Amino acid sequence: MAREKRAKTTVKSLLGDLREKNLINEELKEKLEFYSDLQIDLMAKQGHEYTKDYREFALTLHLHGPKAYKYLRETRHFPLPHPHTIQRWLRSVDAKPGLNKMMLDMLERRCQGDQAKYGCVSLMLDAMSIRKHVQYNPHTQSMSGFVDMGDGNSETEVATEALVFMVVGLQGHWKTPIAYFLTKSLSPETQRVLLSHALEELHARGIRVVCVTMDGHASNVSMCNQLGCELKGDPREPLQTSFSHPVTGEKVFVMMDACHMLKLARNMLQAYSPIATTTGQINWRYINHLNDVQKKDGLHAANKITDKHVYFENHKMRVSLAAQTLSCSVSVTLRTMRDLGYSQFKDCEATAQFIEVIQLVIIEPSTWFLYLFFYNSLAW
């Protein structure tokens, strides 16, 4: 009885039945005869991975005979893969680490169709922490979660970070990722090579990168210095904020992410106070005093300072808190409290000046920078 049951659940036993019910044509029947010896009932085993032959049979039947596939799955209750599983197998997007050739080719076609919109871009890069985890990828039939630089080399270390490259248009509202790399501890030298490869690939497709944007992490600063910038030199000398394109030699400007730099300035002020300057001491305590006075009096002197701004340890990632702390309204309020005779704010001038400088060098330039890029891109 078991042998008889197995004989009735082979592909060969089903083809005649499907042909009689006119669910498949003769051409499809001939294609499926290649899989005549497959045992359909083996697919029902829990945890059983579909073999290559089972995948090909299911794909062929689903694509060329959807009625027959539905009949076998829903009426005869054969354990064929769900259509969503078939869709997952048919995905053609190459999502492996490294430079994504499909996205680069797509950008090249878009650039050829609209040079003004897609020919001039900013390249953004950022690294983010990921959970250490290794799992089987049924789409690629391989283990994923290890360090992978897209070079095909097998690594044994589990990745802890993902470095992502994204292209943003200077004209038009569009952006697209072009690469990512799974890393553990990436050196500035390796990061410089990856950035150079990205610039070269974009240039080969007729796309000009005029700016590279990143956060102020030490590895990013070191990478920029290796490329030809000078971001950590003598503070009395002007900074070198551009480097030469590896192919054309044109200037590629470096712009640190204003939001991240604003948070770094706020964190530095809180952690390293007091900071001695020629005009006095820059001190976080004045922000504390301002919050205390406003809570006591129940009024806010045209600023946003609250406990969340002063005790921000649980809200370090919120850019709005840093922006509201180092704002012109806070600078004006500190001077106003001093002029009203509050003794706690007697020597707050250096702190007020520091906040104004942060406004001038981080917030306002980022707005003008975008305006100038848009204006210059029209000329290009």
Side-chain angles (χ1 to χ4, degrees), residues 20-290:
E20 288 177 5
K21 289 181 169 56
N22 203 28
L23 294 174
I24 60 173
N25 55 31
E26 194 63 35
E27 182 183 358
L28 180 56
K29 183 174 180 291
E30 291 177 1
K31 286 184 179 180
L32 295 175
E33 282 178 351
F34 179 78
Y35 308 100
S36 297
D37 296 330
L38 284 180
Q39 291 287 145
I40 302 296
D41 61 334
L42 291 180
M43 295 183 183
K45 292 185 177 181
Q46 293 293 329
H48 184 77
E49 180 64 31
Y50 293 110
T51 64
K52 181 181 178 182
D53 288 339
Y54 281 120
R55 283 173 174 246
E56 292 178 354
F57 167 72
L59 286 169
T60 304
L61 183 59
H62 185 266
L63 292 176
H64 299 284
K67 290 183 179 179
Y69 195 91
K70 185 176 181 181
Y71 167 75
L72 292 178
R73 194 173 187 278
E74 298 181 3
T75 305
R76 296 286 297 274
H77 301 291
F78 280 106
L80 293 169
H82 192 277
H84 288 171
T85 303
I86 300 290
Q87 292 173 10
R88 189 174 70 247
W89 292 346
L90 289 172
R91 289 175 186 165
S92 59
V93 177
D94 181 11
K96 295 179 181 179
L99 287 163
N100 193 311
K101 185 177 182 300
M102 186 194 71
M103 297 302 296
L104 291 169
D105 291 342
M106 182 272 292
L107 280 176
E108 182 178 15
R109 292 192 297 270
R110 294 287 182 91
C111 184
Q112 291 171 352
D114 191 345
Q115 178 69 26
K117 185 175 181 180
Y118 295 95
C120 197
V121 302
S122 172
L123 179 61
M124 301 174 62
L125 61 100
D126 193 15
M128 59 201 77
S129 297
I130 58 175
R131 181 168 61 92
K132 295 177 67 175
H133 181 65
V134 176
Q135 68 179 28
Y136 179 75
N137 187 338
H139 184 56
T140 60
Q141 294 189 339
S142 62
M143 302 300 292
S144 60
F146 295 104
V147 171
D148 193 340
M149 305 301 292
D151 52 6
N153 294 332
S154 299
E155 300 283 351
T156 57
E157 291 186 304
V158 180
T160 58
E161 284 187 342
L163 176 64
V164 181
F165 285 24
M166 177 178 287
V167 169
V168 182
L170 294 182
Q171 293 194 49
H173 299 283
W174 67 270
K175 59 185 176 181
T176 180
I178 61 168
Y180 79 96
F181 307 92
L182 300 178
T183 68
K184 185 175 182 180
S185 57
L186 199 61
S187 66
E189 293 79 8
T190 304
Q191 193 166 307
R192 174 182 59 82
V193 173
L194 295 177
L195 177 59
S196 297
H197 286 332
L199 293 173
E200 291 169 1
E201 288 289 342
L202 290 168
H203 172 76
R205 288 162 172 79
I207 299 172
R208 180 186 180 187
V209 177
V210 297
C211 173
V212 178
T213 304
M214 66 200 80
D215 60 32
H217 194 274
S219 62
N220 290 337
V221 174
S222 178
M223 176 195 68
C224 293
N225 289 336
Q226 291 182 22
L227 286 167
C229 297
E230 188 58 59
L231 303 181
K232 293 184 67 175
D234 189 338
R236 294 168 294 184
E237 298 294 330
L239 299 177
Q240 175 64 31
T241 58
S242 65
F243 62 91
S244 298
H245 193 285
V247 179
T248 64
E250 295 177 334
K251 284 187 177 182
V252 179
F253 293 92
V254 171
M255 182 178 180
M256 295 299 179
D257 176 38
C259 296
H260 188 260
M261 301 305 292
L262 193 61
K263 290 187 290 183
L264 288 181
R266 187 270 315 271
N267 296 347
M268 181 272 296
L269 175 59
Q270 190 264 353
Y272 293 100
S273 289
I275 303 170
T277 69
T278 55
T279 58
Q281 288 190 342
I282 303 170
N283 207 315
W284 179 258
R285 71 180 182 186
Y286 296 115
I287 308 296
N288 267 319
H289 291 332
L290 177 59

Side-chain angles (χ1 to χ4, degrees), residues 337-358:
M337 302 299 281
R338 178 197 61 193
D339 296 341
L340 290 174
Y342 285 84
S343 59
Q344 308 99 301
F345 301 93
K346 179 182 178 181
D347 301 316
C348 70
E349 181 60 28
T351 305
Q353 289 182 3
F354 171 78
I355 294 174
E356 289 178 342
V357 169
I358 293 298

